[in-house]
Every structure is written in C-alpha cells, then in structure tokens.
Amino acid sequence: MTVEQRGTREGPHHVSSSATDRRRGPERLEAFSDGVLAIAITLLVLEIRVPPAEDLADPNKLIEALGALWPSYLGYLISFVTIGIIWANHHNLIRLVDRVGHGLILANLLLLLTIGFLPFPTALLAATLETPSAQIGVLVYAGTFVVVAIAFNVLWYEIRTRPGVLRRDVDAWSVAAISRSYRLGPPGYLVAFVAALINPALGMGVIIVLTLLYLLPSSSGA
Amino acid sequence: MTVEQRGTREGPHHVSSSATDRRRGPERLEAFSDGVLAIAITLLVLEIRVPPAEDLADPNKLIEALGALWPSYLGYLISFVTIGIIWANHHNLIRLVDRVGHGLILANLLLLLTIGFLPFPTALLAATLETPSAQIGVLVYAGTFVVVAIAFNVLWYEIRTRPGVLRRDVDAWSVAAISRSYRLGPPGYLVAFVAALINPALGMGVIIVLTLLYLLPSSSGA
Amino acid sequence: MTVEQRGTREGPHHVSSSATDRRRGPERLEAFSDGVLAIAITLLVLEIRVPPAEDLADPNKLIEALGALWPSYLGYLISFVTIGIIWANHHNLIRLVDRVGHGLILANLLLLLTIGFLPFPTALLAATLETPSAQIGVLVYAGTFVVVAIAFNVLWYEIRTRPGVLRRDVDAWSVAAISRSYRLGPPGYLVAFVAALINPALGMGVIIVLTLLYLLPSSSGA
Amino acid sequence: MTVEQRGTREGPHHVSSSATDRRRGPERLEAFSDGVLAIAITLLVLEIRVPPAEDLADPNKLIEALGALWPSYLGYLISFVTIGIIWANHHNLIRLVDRVGHGLILANLLLLLTIGFLPFPTALLAATLETPSAQIGVLVYAGTFVVVAIAFNVLWYEIRTRPGVLRRDVDAWSVAAISRSYRLGPPGYLVAFVAALINPALGMGVIIVLTLLYLLPSSSGA
C-alpha cells in the first residue's frame, strides 16, 4: 500500500514514467470504491423520515404512520442488499485486476456514478409506492438498476478485454463463468422494468425475486 | 492488502478458482464494515436539528429550545456509544476469521443492515420521548437493539460453525468465552423492550444500564 | 501501514523526533483524502430532492416534475465526474510524495476544503438554472471550480518545490509535464466564469467541455 | 494489516488469548477514526442551505441572501480547519501507540463523540450569529471546542500513562513536548468562552486567532 512497496515492485523507471501514463495497482481504486459504496449504502436510511409532529403526539396515529412507512423500509432493504451484493461482486472483479489504466478508472467511475445515484430512486419509490404514481416510482427504480447492471458489465468488459488489465494467472474458464453470471443482470432488470409497465406490483415482485436470487451463493451479478 | 500479497499467500491456482468460489481474506470486509459503521455513527448528529427560526431570535426561547433537545442529545450519546462498542467487538470477531465465504458476507451484511438503520429509531426516540408516544419510541429503539444483537450473534455463529472460517489457532476456550458474552445481548435488550412495555422511562433506564455495562472492559457483547 | 513497518523504515531515532517535526509517509494523508473525496462525491445525490407531495399524487405532474429536475441531474453528473477526476489526479500526485510535512498537510487541507464545499454550489446551480438567477448559479459554480483548480496547483507547487517532499526518483521531465497539464485548470474555469458573465448557458457549455476534456486520457488537470 | 501479518508478529499464543483481552495494534483504530473525521468534516457543508425559493427567483435578492450566509461560510471554514488539524494531531498521537487496550478505545471513542457532534454547534452558530442570540451560538461553539480539547488531552493522557500503550522508543523529551503543546487547548478555548460571555464578537475573534495559531507548524494542539 505504500509508495515504497509499489516502487519496489515496479522499479524506479516505471514510477517516474507513471506520473504521465496513469498506470497503477488497484489498491486505491478499491479503497475509494469501498468508500463510495459504504456511504451510498448508509445514506439510504436518511430517506426514512420520522413522521410529522402531528402524528407524533398521538400514539395510535404514530403506529399508523410508522406502518405507512413500509415502502421506505422496503426500499431501504432492497437497495441496501443490492449495494451490498454489488460491493461483494466489485471486490471479486477488482481482485482480478493487475494494473489500473485510464479506461478502468472511467468505467469504475461510471459504476460509482450510477450507484451513488441510487438513494434518489429509492426515495422516489418510497414516496410513490402508495400513490397513483406507483408505476413511475417502480419504473425509475427498475430503470436505474438496468443502468447499474450495464455499468457493471462495462467495468467487467474493460477489465477482461483491455490489454494488461486482467491478471495473467486468471484462466479463460473463470473469465467465461463470470461473464455468464454478470450477463444476466441487465436483461433481468429489464424484465422488471417491462413487468412494471404492465403492473407496478408485478415489477416490484420481479425486483424482489432478483434480489433474492443474487443472495444465492452460486449467482454473482449486479 | 494488495492482490499480489494475497496471491503469494494463496498461490495462483487458488486465485483463479476464487473468482468463482468467492473465498477471500477478511481485509476488505473489514474496510467496508468500518466504513459503514463510521458513517452510521457520524450521521447520528444530523438528527439533532437546530431550533426553528422563531426560537433563534429570542435568547431565552433559544436556551429553552436547546434544553428541550435533551432527548436528541441522549439518543446521540447512546447510539454513538453502542455503535462504537459494536465496532470494537466487530473488529475482535473479524480478527478470528481466516477465510471469507458467502455465508459470512451475508451475515455481515445483515448486521450492517441493522446498524445502518439505527439513525432512524434514534431520531424517532428523540422526537417522541417528551410526547404521549414516548413508549412507541422506546419500544422501537429497544426492538432495533434486540435485532442488532441477534444479527451480531448470527455473525458469530457463522464464523464459529461454518467449516474453514474460523482461524485454526483460536482455542475452544476463547470461542466459548466469546459465545457466553455475546449471548447476553439479545435477552438484555429484550428485557429493555419488556420494561418499556411497562413504562418507557424504565425501558430507557435498562438501555442506559446495558450501554454502561458494555463499556466495562470485561464485557463484550452487542 | 503499521507503525512497526514505518518504524523499521525510518529507524527509531526518527520516530521519536517525528513526534515534534510532524514528518511522515503519505499513507494516512491518502486515506483521509480518499475518505473526504468519497463522501463529498456521494453526498451530491442528497441535493436531488424528491418532488413535493402534491406532484407525487398525479402521474402526469410527477413526470413533469421529474423532468424539471434536469438541472439537479446535470449538477450531479458534472460535480461527480469532476470530483472523480480530482480523485484520480490527487492519487497521481500523492504517489510522488516521499515525506509529508506541515506545508503539504495545509495545502491538502485547503484542497479538501474547496472540494468539500462543492455540494453547496452544485445545489445552488440546480436551484437557479431555470430561474432568472441562473447567471449567479453558474458564476458561483464556475468560481468554485476556479478556486478548486488553484488549490490543486498550490498542492502540486508545495509537493514539487518544498525540499524533501518530492520523491528523488521522479525526473524533471515528468514534473514539467504535470505542471503543464495542471496549469490549464485555473484559466480554463476562469474562461467558464467570464463566459457565464456574458451568458449563463455559454458558461455551462464551457464547464461541460472542460469536464469532457478532463475525461480524455492525455489530460490531467483539476 | 492482514490478520496473518499480525499473527506472525505476535505469535499464535497471543492471538487466541487476545480474543478475550482485547489488545491489538492501532491500524483499525486509525482507519475507523479517519473515517469518522473524514465524514464529520464533509457533513459540515450540509449545514450551508441554499436560500429559499422566493430569494432564488430574484437575482438581487439572491446575491443578498448568499451574502447573508456568511456565518455559515465562517462556521464551515473554522470547523473544517479545526477538524483537519485534529486529524493531523490524532495521527501524530496514534503513531506513538504500540498496543490498543480497552482504555484507549474508550478515550478515542470519547474524542470521536465530541468531534462527531461538531456539525450541530456549527449549524447553531451559523443560525444565530446575526440574531440577538449570537452569544448563545458562540458560547455553545466555544464550549464544544473546550470539550473536544479536553477529550484530546484525555486520549493523550491514556496513551502516555497506561502501561504498554506508548511505544518504548518514544523518549521522555518528546512526550513532554507533546504534553506542553496539547495542554494549551482547553484553557485557550476557555478564554474564547469567557470572551464570548463579555461579547460574542470577541469570543469569535479568540476562536479565529486560536484556529490560525493551530495552523502554525510549531504548534500542535486541539
């Protein structure tokens, strides 16, 4: 993690040239991504708002108001688990990285951009789920997950195809297995999106099923 | 912490296979958990709100309004200390981990999910403690701690029973001692919950006593 | 990263004297800066607010309201990408640091101060872009970027001119190349500021072009 | 930083016993503290609020409203610099730590508790500085700094007096020099507090002078 360690590994010639060619190991990319993911996952709770003062004074009203917050709890739960799974998968990908180049930084930034955005569609979902606008809330939510899943595949594409990024000791079989499992993410959430076009509750059902599937040990997508 | 170090330790064969079996060392799990805990603990202050403009203009009113915020200060204090203790205990547990598997990631995510939720019941407690709904606030607060304590025990159960997770140099006596101390968490907060059913102030009293107990050097629960 | 490692590297004599002369390696400076940058980038989403209740109930109104949030999306996008680029460049600079002294800590704190401030002008931009005050919003936004770019150059100046800070294996050619690329930041955003004086849309156009330029692999400024 | 490295350093016997005696190296304490400090410093910007909609529509009103936010800018500036200095000093202290025990964890948690609280008095200061309640805002702000400075001295006391915490290669002269410089913190902010009792502007003046003094290379207190 120290500059000295890296310097030793790469030799002094590389270090001075690296000032311009931007290549480096994945340690700080990992630390920064971990930070953004940890913050995005923890900010989700800020969207669960304490009921207004008039509901607080009356215990019966408060119980009702806390129950009516169920879309907020559901949104917190799904978004939290999804970001948690993305974190685990992100770690699995970055472990396979040998050298970090400009393309990888951009692809990773794109992924973080979509994940950092998640608290907004989560809050929108929670605010609309019991209104006539529920469909819009679910569509935006599912649509954001489609974009996140695409960004995850872009990152993996960048790692696996850009020369010198993937570690040489990763075999073709592993690469193919990862590709297979991640490839299911975008169409999966697209199904949720289309289902929400038919019926918002159906769309939510597909999202919940996808979240549960990603919790299985054998699957690993985004 | 670098992929190279780990690669050296595990051998190249493992690294490529690990892409699919998800096993790894606990370093990044620790870093991510630290991040979530640090953020959850720091977000607590956002629930202490500056009094409204009409109270700000009049010094006497402002002093009164700042005094009336005592439930916010108390909630900040208890939740901050509790998350701080959880952090210390979490660190103690993760140090005993040899390899991180799927079950551990899920158990850890469950714990983070409950801790990341804490700012909400803390805010609810602060908003209700001086209203007729105080009992609801204390019940939700104590109930959340019951769930956190259970999640902590689930994490420990996962570490100690899943083959290959616990480090081999940890002796049975240490395992038993940890189990004993953590086992007290859920019933302890359940007592606080039941006490709050009788009287909210009594429930708060039990929570405060539990928090102080956890500050003792010999105890170590959640 | 451990004290022991550093102690071994520097010898015990240095360590005890360092308690007063404040010199040290850049590891923890990097970790702290990464933390601040990761949080600032993730807080941006909090400025995108869910439309008010009266818009939520009516799907047509909600679609319109979500569309009217475009300045918020644009602000999120530009600020996120800019902080992301600053993070990458910051990493490139800190890698060239051998020993951290007092001046570097202050210069780095100044940079973090300006970046930590970014969510405010971003929110102001989003709130004003469709009002008669758009010009003020763009001027404050561009002006903040001018200050960030100056702070970045101050940090680089501190690294490259203060004796003992720059690593000895960094050659003069690399230093000159970095200086050249960073030097373009302040005048670039000053152009955006002046353009906004003429017309706010023109100012935003210059900012967007600068952001896109910074995404190119060959450029590396702030 | 890995468990294996630490295990190698301490021997397997220690590791198993450490499960109950809670001793450990300062790495994760540092990481957690860095996280809390980085978040507290970055949350400060959330207290600078965009002017209300009625001021946004009229450029002249908006300029006036942005100018009237000066107490928010000032509070952001002072609190940001103060937390930044605390971070640098905290790092200097933790570097001298050999083994982390229960007392150090508690003393560190106390310090983080006071620093994590800082966004609230900062917001209160900003909200009151131009009202008749300015004195209360400054008193709470200065009072919080007194408590932070005391907590910092408690942490240093814990490190320097508890057997086995301080590294053995730190000489008595360094310890005395640190003690001398930190000892000035509590009375310094107490002077600011007393000055604010006479006149709030005078109190702010003392706080600003103290902040500038702490930016000098020779001083190092909190």
Side-chain angles (χ1 to χ4, degrees):
Chain A
M1 192 118 134
T2 66
V3 171
E4 282 72 18
Q5 285 175 347
R6 220 179 296 136
T8 310
R9 200 167 82 225
E10 297 167 349
H13 177 69
H14 170 77
V15 171
S16 42
S17 71
S18 73
T20 47
D21 73 4
R22 278 164 179 273
R23 291 185 158 212
R24 74 208 72 167
E27 297 81 15
R28 209 181 161 196
L29 188 84
E30 246 187 333
F32 183 68
S33 305
D34 274 2
V36 171
L37 291 171
I39 299 153
I41 212 172
T42 320
L43 285 183
L44 292 168
V45 76
L46 295 183
E47 306 295 352
I48 312 179
R49 300 282 161 84
V50 169
E54 63 264 29
D55 291 339
L56 291 175
D58 180 341
N60 293 325
K61 266 189 172 173
L62 179 56
I63 290 173
E64 212 180 301
L66 289 176
L69 281 176
W70 69 265
S72 291
Y73 309 140
L74 182 66
Y76 174 77
L77 200 67
I78 298 175
S79 294
F80 197 103
V81 170
T82 304
I83 296 179
I85 296 164
I86 289 171
W87 168 76
N89 286 322
H90 186 264
H91 182 34
N92 279 339
L93 282 198
I94 298 301
R95 286 166 72 204
L96 306 179
V97 167
D98 184 29
R99 304 292 299 272
V100 176
H102 187 71
L104 182 56
I105 286 180
L106 290 196
N108 193 60
L109 198 59
L110 177 69
L111 178 65
L112 296 182
L113 181 90
T114 63
I115 294 168
F117 187 69
L118 264 181
F120 175 69
T122 305
L124 187 70
L125 178 81
T128 57
L129 214 49
E130 290 215 297
T131 73
S133 303
Q135 193 167 39
I136 297 172
V138 181
L139 285 173
V140 172
Y141 196 59
T144 305
F145 280 145
V146 173
V147 176
V148 170
I150 290 173
F152 208 92
N153 277 276
V154 167
L155 178 65
W156 172 230
Y157 180 85
E158 176 70 26
I159 291 173
R160 117 182 109 82
T161 63
R162 177 87 55 163
V165 175
L166 195 67
R167 299 175 53 191
R168 263 164 299 179
D169 55 2
V170 182
D171 57 55
W173 187 86
S174 296
V175 169
I178 295 174
S179 297
R180 247 192 327 272
S181 68
Y182 288 165
R183 212 179 287 146
L184 301 173
Y189 286 111
L190 204 60
V191 167
F193 187 88
V194 172
L197 280 174
I198 301 164
N199 182 294
L202 192 67
M204 278 312 292
V206 176
I207 290 174
I208 291 170
V209 168
L210 285 171
T211 309
L212 294 176
L213 281 178
Y214 282 138
L215 287 177
L216 295 180
S218 56
S219 103
S220 56
Chain B
M1 192 117 134
T2 65
V3 172
E4 281 72 17
Q5 286 175 346
R6 221 180 293 139
T8 311
R9 200 167 81 223
E10 298 166 349
H13 177 69
H14 170 78
V15 170
S16 42
S17 71
S18 73
T20 47
D21 73 3
R22 280 162 177 273
R23 292 185 157 211
R24 72 207 73 166
E27 297 80 16
R28 210 182 160 195
L29 188 85
E30 247 187 333
F32 183 69
S33 305
D34 274 2
V36 171
L37 291 170
I39 298 152
I41 212 171
T42 321
L43 285 183
L44 292 169
V45 76
L46 295 183
E47 306 295 352
I48 312 178
R49 301 280 161 83
V50 169
E54 62 264 30
D55 291 339
L56 292 174
D58 180 340
N60 293 325
K61 266 190 174 174
L62 178 56
I63 290 174
E64 211 180 303
L66 289 176
L69 281 176
W70 70 264
S72 292
Y73 309 141
L74 182 66
Y76 174 77
L77 200 66
I78 298 175
S79 294
F80 197 102
V81 170
T82 304
I83 297 179
I85 295 164
I86 290 171
W87 167 78
N89 286 321
H90 187 264
H91 182 33
N92 279 339
L93 282 199
I94 299 301
R95 286 166 71 201
L96 306 179
V97 168
D98 184 30
R99 303 293 298 274
V100 177
H102 187 70
L104 183 55
I105 288 179
L106 291 197
N108 193 60
L109 198 61
L110 177 70
L111 178 65
L112 296 181
L113 181 91
T114 63
I115 295 168
F117 186 70
L118 265 181
F120 175 69
T122 306
L124 187 70
L125 178 81
T128 56
L129 214 50
E130 291 216 296
T131 72
S133 304
Q135 193 167 39
I136 297 172
V138 181
L139 285 173
V140 172
Y141 196 58
T144 305
F145 280 145
V146 173
V147 177
V148 170
I150 291 173
F152 208 91
N153 277 276
V154 168
L155 178 65
W156 173 229
Y157 180 85
E158 177 69 26
I159 290 174
R160 115 184 111 84
T161 64
R162 177 88 55 167
V165 174
L166 194 69
R167 298 175 55 190
R168 264 165 299 181
D169 55 3
V170 183
D171 56 56
W173 187 86
S174 295
V175 169
I178 296 175
S179 296
R180 246 190 328 271
S181 67
Y182 287 167
R183 212 180 287 149
L184 300 173
Y189 286 111
L190 203 60
V191 167
F193 187 88
V194 172
L197 280 175
I198 302 165
N199 182 293
L202 190 67
M204 278 312 291
V206 176
I207 290 173
I208 291 171
V209 168
L210 285 171
T211 308
L212 293 176
L213 281 178
Y214 283 138
L215 287 177
L216 295 179
S218 55
S219 104
S220 55
Chain C
M1 191 119 136
T2 65
V3 171
E4 282 72 17
Q5 286 176 347
R6 221 180 293 138
T8 310
R9 199 166 85 225
E10 297 168 350
H13 176 70
H14 170 76
V15 171
S16 43
S17 71
S18 72
T20 46
D21 73 4
R22 281 165 176 271
R23 292 186 158 208
R24 72 208 75 167
E27 297 81 16
R28 209 182 161 195
L29 189 85
E30 248 187 332
F32 183 68
S33 305
D34 274 3
V36 172
L37 292 170
I39 299 153
I41 212 172
T42 321
L43 285 183
L44 292 168
V45 76
L46 295 183
E47 307 294 353
I48 312 179
R49 301 280 161 86
V50 169
E54 62 264 29
D55 290 340
L56 292 175
D58 180 341
N60 292 325
K61 266 189 172 172
L62 179 56
I63 290 174
E64 213 180 300
L66 288 176
L69 280 176
W70 70 264
S72 291
Y73 309 140
L74 182 67
Y76 174 78
L77 200 66
I78 298 176
S79 294
F80 197 104
V81 170
T82 305
I83 296 180
I85 295 164
I86 289 171
W87 167 77
N89 285 323
H90 186 265
H91 182 34
N92 279 340
L93 282 198
I94 298 301
R95 286 165 72 201
L96 308 178
V97 167
D98 184 29
R99 303 294 298 273
V100 175
H102 187 71
L104 182 55
I105 286 179
L106 291 196
N108 192 61
L109 198 59
L110 177 69
L111 178 65
L112 297 181
L113 182 90
T114 63
I115 294 168
F117 187 69
L118 265 182
F120 174 70
T122 306
L124 187 70
L125 178 81
T128 56
L129 214 50
E130 291 214 298
T131 72
S133 303
Q135 193 167 39
I136 297 172
V138 181
L139 285 173
V140 171
Y141 196 60
T144 305
F145 280 144
V146 172
V147 176
V148 170
I150 290 173
F152 208 91
N153 277 276
V154 167
L155 178 65
W156 173 230
Y157 180 85
E158 176 69 26
I159 291 173
R160 118 183 108 81
T161 64
R162 177 87 55 162
V165 175
L166 195 68
R167 297 174 54 190
R168 262 163 300 181
D169 56 1
V170 182
D171 57 55
W173 186 86
S174 295
V175 169
I178 295 175
S179 297
R180 248 191 326 273
S181 68
Y182 288 166
R183 212 179 287 147
L184 301 173
Y189 286 111
L190 204 59
V191 168
F193 187 88
V194 172
L197 280 174
I198 301 164
N199 182 294
L202 191 66
M204 278 312 292
V206 176
I207 289 173
I208 291 170
V209 168
L210 285 171
T211 308
L212 293 176
L213 281 177
Y214 282 137
L215 287 177
L216 295 179
S218 55
S219 104
S220 55
Chain D
M1 191 120 135
T2 66
V3 171
E4 282 73 17
Q5 286 176 346
R6 221 181 292 140
T8 311
R9 199 166 82 223
E10 298 168 349
H13 176 71
H14 170 77
V15 170
S16 42
S17 71
S18 72
T20 47
D21 74 0
R22 280 161 176 275
R23 292 187 157 209
R24 73 208 73 168
E27 297 81 16
R28 210 183 159 195
L29 189 85
E30 247 186 334
F32 183 69
S33 305
D34 274 3
V36 171
L37 291 170
I39 298 153
I41 212 171
T42 321
L43 285 183
L44 292 168
V45 76
L46 295 183
E47 306 295 353
I48 312 179
R49 302 280 161 84
V50 170
E54 62 263 28
D55 289 340
L56 292 175
D58 180 341
N60 293 326
K61 266 189 173 173
L62 179 56
I63 290 173
E64 211 181 301
L66 288 176
L69 281 177
W70 71 264
S72 292
Y73 309 141
L74 182 66
Y76 174 78
L77 201 67
I78 298 175
S79 294
F80 197 103
V81 170
T82 304
I83 296 180
I85 295 164
I86 289 171
W87 167 78
N89 285 323
H90 187 264
H91 183 34
N92 279 339
L93 282 199
I94 299 300
R95 286 166 72 202
L96 307 179
V97 167
D98 183 30
R99 302 294 297 273
V100 176
H102 187 70
L104 182 55
I105 287 180
L106 290 197
N108 193 61
L109 198 60
L110 177 69
L111 178 65
L112 296 182
L113 182 90
T114 63
I115 294 167
F117 186 69
L118 264 180
F120 175 70
T122 306
L124 187 71
L125 178 81
T128 56
L129 214 49
E130 290 215 298
T131 72
S133 304
Q135 194 168 36
I136 297 172
V138 181
L139 284 174
V140 172
Y141 196 59
T144 306
F145 280 145
V146 173
V147 177
V148 170
I150 289 173
F152 207 92
N153 277 276
V154 168
L155 178 65
W156 173 230
Y157 179 85
E158 176 70 26
I159 291 174
R160 115 183 111 81
T161 64
R162 177 89 52 163
V165 175
L166 195 68
R167 297 175 54 189
R168 263 164 299 181
D169 55 3
V170 182
D171 57 55
W173 186 86
S174 296
V175 169
I178 295 174
S179 297
R180 249 193 323 275
S181 68
Y182 287 168
R183 211 179 288 149
L184 300 173
Y189 286 112
L190 203 60
V191 167
F193 187 89
V194 172
L197 280 174
I198 302 164
N199 182 293
L202 190 66
M204 279 312 292
V206 176
I207 290 173
I208 291 170
V209 169
L210 285 171
T211 308
L212 293 176
L213 281 178
Y214 282 137
L215 288 176
L216 296 179
S218 55
S219 104
S220 54

